[in-house]
Amino acid sequence: MSVRRVTGLETEYGISVPGDPGANPMLLSAQVVNAYAAPAAGSMSSALRARWDYEDEAPLRDARGFEVKRAAAHPSQLTDSPVRGDEHGRRGQGRAAPSASDVVGAESEDPTMANVILTNGARFYVDHAHPEYSSPEVLTPRAAVLYDRAGERILLESLRRVAATPGLTPVTIYKNNTDGKGASYGTHENYLMSRSTPFGDVVRHLTPFFASRQVFTGAGRVGIGQDSSTAGYQISQRADFFEVEVGLETTMKRPIINTRDEPHASVDKYRRLHVIVGDATMCEVATLLKVGTTSLVLTLLEAGALDGGPAGDLQLSDPVRALHEVSHDPGLTQLVRLRDGRRMTALELQRAYLEAAAAFVEDRFGDDADADTREVLTRWDGVLTKLERDVFSAAREVDWVAKLRLLEGYRSRDGLAWDHARLQAVDLQWSDVRPEKGLYLKLAERGQVERLVAEEDVQRAVTHPPEDTRAYFRGECLARYGSRVAAASWDSVIFDVPGRGALQRVPTLEPLRGTREHVGALLDRCTTAEELVSALTGG
């Protein structure tokens, strides 16, 4: 058993123009992405030109065994096209080599469809009026933290390039999940898991886990309710925006368990669990635990180890209500009702999952458990112990606790009620990506939160891909042969090379191939894209 699993994080960043609440967020987001994709001032490098390939995307396929008809889908669900809500359908049905117009399509015609692939293997694009950074595939929780941090640096650099470009409107960017006025935007997690695991088991065991894990993954929010109309403070930024237990949607009637069945990998082998119920965390330990604990629970699920023992039957009587109740209780004493009539706190639910994971690891591996798994188990236990003993003792590791301590300082000093506008401003400033403005970043600079990754490693991750997943092949192809890469996606790279009658698609359906170990020597031998394509196609 291990926390090592193909994983990726997606973050939609908040964006605004100070003093201009009516500014068009789609245009602002596009200028942010395009500013990063263009060459830096004074640079001799070319712009990032490769576009996203939509060939194998299927956002309407449901893990419960059916596919939603396009006519019945909400426009926001049509993520398989650069033009949301159109009726022209998916491009490139079948496996014929696409043309250049198929690959680029409407993106070249509409600046708000900015959508590029980066040399670190990530995707950077406009999604639902937000700049979104989708990290490359990684294998460990620490790597997830590293490439999540790299995304923050990319957004910061984008913001600076916008500010330095004549004619562009300077913007402010936040790594948060709500504007405080009724709108929410996502931070999604993706985990590849075995397709043989019954999806009913996924729902049964993960719903209580997700409802309770916010005690260490919540980002904290001033205000209760989707529009923050009730004064107070809650654990999660996202919890109030979830309305159903299971469903396909991501922007309306949000479900705790999302059923999108779009693996971006071999469909016979993998299922991609698309998790939309998490917050955008700034604290590195919180991000590590968000990914690591979920990976451990998925391993237990795949092994059938959650059907007995301490985490055997934790199904909630009303999952959505429980999600809200836990978020609304920073004191962590709220009891939620289980289907069997028991009542447990979120901390007790998490203890049950932790005990099940620890027992399984000890039984299967003992002292031979890998270091990543041991770290997650140790930190999981440590954070739960701190939260049980004294909530504020977890302020170095958990966002909502660190933010609450900061807010309580303002409240105590100035006598502020929870509905005071200054507290809402502090809440927002917590997630500002600018080091001179962001309150989390100021705490980090002062050593008041725990850091897991070195800044030099983060800077390297901005431009270099992970070496142990297919992201290595994708990112290195962009870095080495960028002018010849017409498009790419999670499961393919498409080359436009002279002498070929059509674009050349290189499939990457197996996420654990295309690593440095697998293709590093090949890439080193091939100085041009033409040589690489010839080597891969045999001529």
Side-chain angles (χ1 to χ4, degrees):
M1 174 175 177
S2 176
V3 295
R4 295 174 181 168
R5 174 183 299 275
V6 177
T7 305
L9 300 179
E10 310 169 15
T11 303
E12 295 177 35
Y13 283 78
I15 187 168
S16 68
V17 174
D20 186 6
N24 186 317
M26 290 191 70
L27 289 174
L28 295 175
S29 298
Q31 75 179 26
V32 165
V33 175
N34 287 329
Y36 191 80
S43 171
M44 298 299 293
S45 62
S46 61
L48 293 167
R49 65 178 291 270
R51 298 301 181 184
W52 194 252
D53 172 35
Y54 294 88
E55 169 75 20
D56 291 318
E57 301 210 0
L60 302 182
R61 187 184 300 146
D62 197 293
R64 292 168 291 186
F66 58 88
E67 186 162 350
V68 175
K69 294 184 180 299
R70 270 189 102 75
H74 188 270
S76 65
Q77 294 177 269
L78 304 179
T79 58
D80 55 352
S81 168
V83 182
R84 301 291 169 82
D86 67 0
E87 291 300 325
H88 66 257
R90 292 174 59 201
R91 286 184 267 130
Q93 299 288 341
R95 300 304 303 167
S99 68
S101 60
D102 286 330
V103 170
V104 179
E107 292 180 23
S108 61
E109 302 168 7
D110 187 345
T112 65
M113 295 299 117
N115 195 334
V116 296
I117 306 97
L118 308 180
T119 59
N120 72 350
R123 181 186 184 191
F124 189 30
Y125 70 115
V126 179
D127 188 23
H128 302 304
H130 296 272
E132 175 170 321
Y133 170 82
S134 295
S135 79
E137 306 91 326
V138 298
L139 283 186
T140 69
R142 273 187 174 261
V145 173
L146 178 66
Y147 280 91
D148 185 56
R149 276 278 173 243
E152 295 173 21
R153 301 300 183 272
I154 287 167
L155 268 296
L156 175 62
E157 177 62 21
S158 301
L159 178 154
R160 289 172 173 169
R161 292 189 187 185
V162 167
T165 303
L168 294 185
T169 304
V171 298
T172 304
I173 294 175
Y174 304 96
K175 190 186 180 189
N176 68 345
N177 297 112
T178 178
D179 63 359
K181 302 175 183 178
S184 179
Y185 29 97
T187 296
H188 299 172
E189 306 148 54
N190 299 285
Y191 304 88
L192 278 193
M193 61 180 298
S194 172
R195 182 162 289 277
S196 63
T197 303
F199 194 75
D201 290 349
V202 173
V203 174
R204 180 159 58 97
H205 291 299
L206 284 184
T207 300
F209 175 72
F210 287 149
S212 57
R213 73 168 188 173
Q214 57 186 307
V215 297
F216 52 78
T217 65
R221 177 155 76 95
V222 174
I224 309 296
Q226 293 188 1
D227 60 358
S228 302
S229 57
T230 300
Y233 181 82
Q234 63 175 305
I235 289 173
S236 170
Q237 293 227 330
R238 289 275 280 172
D240 284 347
F241 295 90
F242 285 78
E243 301 176 11
V244 297
E245 181 181 6
V246 183
L248 186 62
E249 295 84 358
T250 60
T251 62
M252 53 184 295
K253 293 193 300 183
R254 293 181 179 91
I256 297 173
I257 303 295
N258 183 262
T259 59
R260 179 181 292 188
D261 189 7
E262 189 180 31
H264 299 312
S266 175
V267 70
D268 296 330
K269 183 178 181 181
Y270 296 110
R271 169 180 288 123
R272 176 175 64 107
L273 182 68
H274 187 55
V275 179
I276 70 171
V277 75
D279 285 3
T281 44
M282 301 291 289
C283 288
E284 294 178 7
V285 173
T287 303
L288 178 104
L289 287 175
K290 177 167 63 178
V291 174
T293 60
T294 304
S295 294
L296 280 173
V297 172
L298 288 177
T299 299
L300 290 171
L301 254 174
E302 291 168 332
L306 284 174
D307 293 324
D313 186 9
L314 300 176
Q315 295 182 83
L316 299 169
S317 175
D318 187 337
V320 175
R321 179 178 179 180
L323 181 74
H324 297 169
E325 288 177 339
V326 170
S327 183
H328 296 172
D329 177 38
L332 303 181
T333 60
Q334 175 68 48
L335 294 169
V336 297
R337 182 182 290 277
L338 276 60
R339 287 188 182 180
D340 61 10
R342 288 181 294 162
R343 290 181 177 270
M344 298 176 68
T345 67
L347 289 173
E348 289 170 337
L349 286 167
Q350 282 298 305
R351 275 286 174 198
Y353 284 103
L354 169 59
E355 290 172 10
F360 188 82
V361 170
E362 177 63 27
D363 179 62
R364 296 291 181 94
F365 300 102
D367 293 338
D368 293 330
D370 64 84
D372 294 299
T373 299
R374 290 198 302 270
E375 179 182 29
V376 170
L377 288 172
T378 299
R379 289 187 177 277
W380 195 358
D381 176 65
V383 167
L384 290 181
T385 298
K386 289 180 179 181
L387 292 171
E388 290 161 349
R389 183 178 67 242
D390 173 16
V391 165
F392 287 110
S393 66
R396 287 180 56 82
E397 296 101 337
V398 178
D399 286 72
W400 74 265
V401 178
K403 185 188 291 184
L404 178 59
R405 184 174 64 177
L406 189 68
L407 289 163
E408 288 290 11
Y410 283 97
R411 279 167 42 81
S412 175
R413 187 189 68 187
D414 300 328
L416 303 179
W418 276 116
D419 59 355
H420 198 284
R422 192 187 307 172
L423 297 183
Q424 294 177 332
V426 170
D427 186 358
L428 185 62
Q429 195 174 348
W430 171 267
S431 57
D432 195 318
V433 301
R434 297 170 295 178
E436 70 275 15
K437 297 290 186 179
L439 295 179
Y440 165 82
L441 294 174
K442 288 181 177 292
L443 292 182
E445 184 181 9
R446 297 169 187 163
Q448 295 180 7
V449 292
E450 185 172 355
R451 305 296 295 271
L452 300 178
V453 293
E455 183 59 30
E456 57 267 28
D457 293 332
V458 175
Q459 290 298 336
R460 189 177 192 279
V462 167
T463 54
H464 291 75
E467 297 183 350
D468 52 5
T469 70
R470 65 186 175 189
Y472 178 78
F473 179 75
R474 182 188 317 120
E476 286 295 310
C477 284
L478 265 294
R480 298 173 189 236
Y481 321 115
S483 64
R484 292 301 181 190
V485 178
S489 66
W490 304 120
D491 54 17
S492 67
V493 178
I494 299 176
F495 294 92
D496 183 4
V497 296
R500 301 276 177 166
L503 300 181
Q504 302 296 300
R505 181 188 298 274
V506 178
T508 56
L509 288 169
E510 175 47 64
L512 298 180
R513 294 176 66 84
T515 65
R516 180 178 182 180
E517 180 181 6
H518 180 224
V519 300
L522 172 65
L523 294 176
D524 289 342
R525 289 197 306 270
C526 297
T527 59
T528 66
E530 294 90 324
E531 292 176 2
L532 178 64
V533 170
S534 293
L536 291 172
T537 61

